[in-house]
Amino acid sequence: MLKGNLAPDGCVVKRSAVAPEMLVHEGPAKVYESEEEAIAAIYSGKIVKGDVVVIRYEGPSGGPGMREMLSPTSAIAGMGLDKDVALITDGRFSGATRGASIGHVSPEASSGGTIAYVKDGDIIYINIPEYKIELKVSDDELAKRKKEMKIKKKTDITGYLKRYAESVSSADKGAIINR
């Protein structure tokens, strides 16, 4: 579990799957609003050594239902970047994931978590041995972004999926429907 201003309620990383050289990492964010956008960027060469890929709006409410991010992590590994690039998401990972893959960021983007306000080029600091994850942006700048940037909500969902998205708890609370 890591905590910091990027994940005040925590996030998860499988430490045993992280290369020693990635246990402490600092790099510029490359921000994507979906798994598909991130995969396209990875395969088109837009992700380079040192980057921190941020995939948001894939959490319990934003997904809805925490989509598994094996495809982006596999793409990073396939491009030979798994020892040089971190991936952060409010989505989830399977047990097969390797690399600096940090998921379950809480609160998630669709709930107004800090991950919703990350911009391309922002510096993100990850220190797994010290259980820290920080967005290196001032509190004033973050407050300004919260006033200016809008939280995205999916409007094309209906039925039980819509009900789930509207009532699901955060990943750190089990991503269950609140009654």
Side-chain angles (χ1 to χ4, degrees), residues 35-115:
E35 175 184 14
E36 292 80 10
E37 281 184 19
I39 292 168
I42 295 163
Y43 283 134
S44 68
K46 292 180 181 171
I47 306 303
V48 298
K49 289 182 178 187
D51 285 345
V52 178
V53 175
V54 176
I55 305 174
R56 58 188 176 201
Y57 296 104
E58 294 290 4
S61 174
M66 303 180 76
R67 290 173 52 183
E68 200 273 331
M69 298 289 131
L70 182 59
S71 294
T73 57
S74 296
I76 288 170
M79 298 297 282
L81 295 169
D82 54 314
K83 293 183 179 176
D84 301 295
V85 170
L87 190 150
I88 299 172
T89 183
D90 50 10
R92 68 180 179 85
F93 296 104
S94 72
T97 299
R98 69 178 200 211
S101 301
I102 300 165
H104 298 254
V105 170
S106 297
E108 68 177 287
S110 69
S111 297
T114 305
I115 193 170

